């Protein structure tokens, strides 16, 4: 595998980073030397970003709804604006609806 040997840290994109699995994945990327761009639908992404900034120097935030075409395009445009290649992406966005899932219907 050929790796970009620039002086910048690798870039990760993490969706659903305001809580749950996405939040934990973002922390792992931070601990492993990545800058990252994080996204979530709600304003809670701003609070999560504050905690990430204590772990790494470069965090970019995008508040958008990836369940819509416009939201996905917004995220894509922000990635393009970084001018950097994406070295890793973790798609953690989703909605848990709860309830039984082991029973066939």
């Amino acid at each position: 595998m050929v790796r970009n040997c620039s002086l910048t840290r690798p870039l990760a994109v993490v969706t659903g980073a305001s809580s749950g699995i996405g939040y934990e994945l973002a922390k792992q990327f931070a601990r492993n030397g990545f800058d990252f761009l994080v996204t979530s639908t709600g304003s809670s992404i701003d609070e999560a970003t504050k905690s990430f900034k204590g772990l790494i120097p470069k965090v970019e935030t995008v508040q958008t709804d990836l369940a819509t075409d416009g939201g996905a395009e917004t995220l894509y445009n922000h990635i393009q604006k970084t001018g950097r290649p994406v070295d890793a992406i973790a798609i953690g966005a989703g909605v848990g609806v709860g309830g039984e899932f082991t029973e066939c219907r």
Side-chain angles (χ1 to χ4, degrees):
M1 177 171 119
V2 177
R3 181 139 173 94
N4 181 353
C5 293
S6 69
L7 297 177
T8 61
R9 294 161 43 109
L11 176 66
V13 175
V14 183
T15 70
S18 63
S19 65
I21 294 169
Y23 179 81
E24 294 302 323
L25 287 170
K27 288 194 312 188
Q28 288 301 314
F29 280 117
R31 290 181 181 129
N32 285 283
F34 284 78
D35 289 334
F36 52 84
L37 186 149
V38 293
T39 185
S40 185
T41 57
S43 61
S44 56
I45 191 64
D46 296 327
E47 194 62 36
T49 299
K50 289 178 187 174
S51 69
F52 299 144
K53 287 189 177 185
L55 299 172
I56 63 170
K58 180 106 171 123
V59 179
E60 294 190 38
T61 304
V62 179
Q63 184 179 340
T64 190
D65 184 354
L66 296 178
T68 67
D69 289 339
E73 188 171 336
T74 296
L75 176 59
Y76 175 79
N77 289 336
H78 277 273
I79 293 169
Q80 293 301 305
K81 285 180 192 175
T82 68
R84 298 171 62 182
V86 174
D87 296 286
I89 189 164
I91 309 297
V95 177
V97 293
E100 289 189 37
F101 63 91
T102 58
E103 192 175 297
C104 293
R105 297 183 186 196

